[in-house]
């Protein structure tokens, strides 16, 4: 069943009425010359394939919308800019799949699950912000070859099969969690294997086991220092510098003439003082 309006190739502009709450499935699908769509602030839901295969260039989704269904903007080859509201709780699978000229879209803070094929073959999408995402489904960013830098924050716990496969433009990847997320087979397959993969200090074995097809792991180093509150009364020596493989530090307090060592800021009176840097 295709609702009235679907495949209307002569349709170029649509102004959706002020009281409309739902755009049903397939409503404007294959209206290939539809380039301008204005949506009301009463709209709650955009259905499956509703605006797929249209010629829209930019779209702003009103703050009232809480769900965009599967393939709603699939194969919108002219679509370049999308603005999404922070009211969105779900964007369905394939919603922006094959939008090959998409260059700008925000991932709302309310959206924590990136569905299957959501941005697959969005060849010109240059960057993504995953700072609020928990799960990335299979082939979600497959072949997004214009993404150059990718940060996987510590809140992401699951990256599914092929999620970032064929992202051939990547020049670096950063993982922020000390515990690697669950990473499906081929999640990063055909990403250039020589690019640096930045990981937290001391996690090399964990990440190398999860990502066997990437080889250039770089453990993020840290600097360590300990200082006296007043150098006129005494100084601190670092006898043992902690490293990624050995997190133990040893400090020595050296009182100035006329003073004696009393305690460290932790309350410890041990001198030299040993601690583990976490």
């Amino acid at each position: 069943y295709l609702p009235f309006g679907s495949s209307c190739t002569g349709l170029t502009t649509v102004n959706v009425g002020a009281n409309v709450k739902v755009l049903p499935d397939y409503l404007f699908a294959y209206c290939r010359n539809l380039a301008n769509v204005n949506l009301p602030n009463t709209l709650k839901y955009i259905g499956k394939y509703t605006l797929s295969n249209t010629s829209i260039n930019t779209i702003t989704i009103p703050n009232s919308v809480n769900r965009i269904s599967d393939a709603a903007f699939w194969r919108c080859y002219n679509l370049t800019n999308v603005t999404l509201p922070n009211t969105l709780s779900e964007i369905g699978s394939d919603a922006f799949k094959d939008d090959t000229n998409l260059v700008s879209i925000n991932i709302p803070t309310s959206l924590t699950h990136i569905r299957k094929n959501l941005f697959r073959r969005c060849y010109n999408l240059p960057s993504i912000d995953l700072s609020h995402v928990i799960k990335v489904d299979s082939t979600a960013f497959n072949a997004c070859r214009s993404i150059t830098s990718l940060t996987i924050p510590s809140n992401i716990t699951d990256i599914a099969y092929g999620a970032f496969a064929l992202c051939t433009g990547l020049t670096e990847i950063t993982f922020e969690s000390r515990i690697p997320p669950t990473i499906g087979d081929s999640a990063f397959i055909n990403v250039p294997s020589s690019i640096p993969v930045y990981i937290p200090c001391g996690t090399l074995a964990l990440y190398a086991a999860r990502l066997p097809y990437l080889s250039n792991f770089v453990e993020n180093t840290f600097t360590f220092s300990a200082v006296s509150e007043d150098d006129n009364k005494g100084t601190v020596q670092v006898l043992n510098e902690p490293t990624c493989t050995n997190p133990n530090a040893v400090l020595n307090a050296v009182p100035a003439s006329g003073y004696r060592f009393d305690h460290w800021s932790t309350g410890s009176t041990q001198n030299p003082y040993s601690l583990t840097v976490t």
Side-chain angles (χ1 to χ4, degrees), residues 123 141-148 164-171 189-192 195:
Y123 295 138
F141 294 94
N142 186 284
C144 288
R145 59 196 185 197
S146 291
I147 296 175
T148 57
F164 297 96
L166 296 169
C167 289
T168 54
L170 276 170
T171 60
I189 201 72
N190 291 120
V191 167
I195 66 171

Side-chain angles (χ1 to χ4, degrees), residues 9 15 35 37 44 63 89 100 126 188 205 220 223 225 230 250 258 267:
T9 55
N15 293 306
V37 177
K44 301 288 186 184
N63 289 331
S89 60
T100 54
F188 292 88
N220 289 320
T223 57
S225 64
D230 186 345
V250 179

Side-chain angles (χ1 to χ4, degrees), residues 33 210 250:
N33 292 306
R210 294 283 176 92
V250 179

Side-chain angles (χ1 to χ4, degrees), residues 143-165:
C144 288
R145 59 196 185 197
S146 291
I147 296 175
T148 57
S149 179
L150 178 64
T151 297
I152 306 296
S154 56
N155 41 275
I156 290 184
T157 59
D158 189 10
I159 299 174
Y161 170 86
F164 297 96

Side-chain angles (χ1 to χ4, degrees), residues 79-82 99-105 124-127:
L79 186 60
T80 59
N81 295 276
V82 177
D99 292 352
T100 54
N101 286 301
L102 184 64
V103 295
S104 176
I105 187 169
N124 287 294
L125 187 64
S127 62

Side-chain angles (χ1 to χ4, degrees), residues 76-198:
C76 290
Y77 297 125
N78 292 337
L79 186 60
T80 59
N81 295 276
V82 177
T83 303
L84 300 173
N86 280 325
T87 51
L88 274 176
S89 60
E90 181 181 346
I91 302 178
S93 301
D94 305 282
F96 297 98
K97 179 183 175 183
D98 293 322
D99 292 352
T100 54
N101 286 301
L102 184 64
V103 295
S104 176
I105 187 169
N106 60 302
I107 297 180
T109 56
S110 56
L111 193 71
T112 59
H113 187 178
I114 304 298
R115 301 282 181 178
K116 179 180 178 181
N117 291 329
L118 184 57
F119 298 105
R120 187 172 188 175
R121 289 191 290 269
C122 289
Y123 295 138
N124 287 294
L125 187 64
S127 62
I128 49 170
D129 178 8
L130 301 175
S131 58
H132 300 280
V133 173
I134 296 173
K135 183 178 181 181
V136 181
D137 279 357
S138 59
T139 57
F141 294 94
N142 186 284
C144 288
R145 59 196 185 197
S146 291
I147 296 175
T148 57
S149 179
L150 178 64
T151 297
I152 306 296
S154 56
N155 41 275
I156 290 184
T157 59
D158 189 10
I159 299 174
Y161 170 86
F164 297 96
L166 296 169
C167 289
T168 54
L170 276 170
T171 60
E172 63 176 23
I173 303 172
T174 299
F175 286 88
E176 294 185 341
S177 178
R178 294 192 58 81
I179 301 174
T182 299
I183 300 175
D185 290 343
S186 304
F188 292 88
I189 201 72
N190 291 120
V191 167
S193 61
S194 61
I195 66 171
V197 180
Y198 296 102

